[in-house]
Amino acid sequence: MAQGCIFCRIVEGESPARKVYEDEAVVAFHDIAPQAPVHVLVIPRKHIPSVLELEESDAPLVWAIHRAIREVAQRTGIAESGLRVVTNCGKDGHQTVFHLHYHVLGGRGLGWPPG
Amino acid sequence: MAQGCIFCRIVEGESPARKVYEDEAVVAFHDIAPQAPVHVLVIPRKHIPSVLELEESDAPLVWAIHRAIREVAQRTGIAESGLRVVTNCGKDGHQTVFHLHYHVLGGRGLGWPPG
């Protein structure tokens, strides 16, 4: 657990979150500032700052995140209508919490460009 | 190779692309309609329609995509300034080519929401 990390606190159950799915590797919960009718964050339990800090040993974790994305899409009813998966990294990416997270957005047509 | 798939044609070398990186599992090339100063697509050589069709046996491939994202960020000079990684799925996600691809965007501040 990283000191002062809000997502680590959610993983530890110390901060509340509306969870959609969880397993031994990941937790998925609704974004508190949703940008679409469905807006869920999928995060690894392990504290990893961003997509650029993933290492080869995290390969099973990266798969677990993708398995969870599919599960979230099914549970929130957007698997058929479609979705966008986004992960931000650093300043230009508009990353606001430095614990790796994948946004899963759906329930409306997402525009282009993606920000 | 999927019949009529433009990304399979790029993988096979039958359609041109400005490649940034490639290895035995993935190919990365500049988007022909860039939405940011850096806009690269990372695709698996294997034809998979979207993120929702990934299976457990694709776990090494999902890792290879993420390794390539990091490599692309470094080669295009956006690893420090930041980036956004996006994959679209289905109609609401604005997916236009039905061969799994991850957009890597950077070189400018990406806005929020992501589309």
Side-chain angles (χ1 to χ4, degrees):
Chain A
M1 180 169 171
Q3 200 78 24
C5 173
I6 179 66
F7 286 176
C8 282
R9 289 181 60 86
I10 287 174
V11 167
E12 296 295 322
E14 294 175 5
S15 284
R18 280 206 299 140
K19 290 181 187 171
V20 179
Y21 171 81
E22 64 184 316
D23 62 28
E24 71 287 354
V26 309
V27 179
F29 53 91
H30 292 280
D31 194 301
I32 55 165
Q35 303 297 317
V38 172
H39 186 171
V40 171
L41 304 181
V42 177
I43 72 171
R45 291 185 183 275
K46 178 183 173 187
H47 183 84
I48 298 169
S50 86
V51 69
L52 293 188
E53 280 81 23
L54 287 165
E55 295 176 4
E56 182 119 32
S57 57
D58 297 314
L61 188 54
V62 176
W63 166 245
I65 290 168
H66 282 69
R67 185 180 57 204
I69 289 168
R70 189 176 60 194
E71 190 66 29
V72 165
Q74 288 165 350
R75 293 189 181 191
T76 59
I78 59 172
E80 294 300 318
S81 49
L83 56 135
R84 176 166 294 165
V85 178
V86 177
T87 187
N88 298 330
C89 178
K91 186 167 180 291
D92 278 354
H94 197 271
Q95 187 177 8
T96 55
V97 177
F98 292 84
H99 180 130
L100 178 64
H101 53 289
Y102 287 69
H103 300 263
V104 180
L105 301 112
R108 68 169 173 86
L110 279 300
W112 201 248
Chain B
M1 179 168 170
Q3 200 76 24
C5 173
I6 180 66
F7 286 176
C8 282
R9 290 182 59 85
I10 287 173
V11 167
E12 296 296 322
E14 294 174 5
S15 283
R18 278 204 302 140
K19 290 181 186 170
V20 179
Y21 171 79
E22 65 184 315
D23 61 29
E24 69 288 356
V26 309
V27 179
F29 53 92
H30 291 282
D31 194 301
I32 55 165
Q35 304 297 317
V38 172
H39 186 170
V40 170
L41 305 181
V42 177
I43 72 171
R45 291 184 182 275
K46 178 183 173 187
H47 183 84
I48 298 169
S50 86
V51 69
L52 293 187
E53 280 80 24
L54 287 165
E55 297 176 4
E56 182 120 31
S57 58
D58 297 314
L61 189 53
V62 176
W63 165 246
I65 290 168
H66 281 69
R67 185 181 56 202
I69 288 168
R70 187 177 61 194
E71 189 65 29
V72 165
Q74 288 165 350
R75 292 189 182 192
T76 59
I78 59 172
E80 293 301 317
S81 48
L83 55 135
R84 176 166 293 165
V85 178
V86 177
T87 187
N88 298 330
C89 177
K91 185 167 180 293
D92 278 355
H94 198 272
Q95 186 178 7
T96 54
V97 176
F98 291 84
H99 180 129
L100 177 64
H101 54 288
Y102 287 68
H103 300 263
V104 180
L105 302 111
R108 66 168 174 88
L110 279 302
W112 201 248

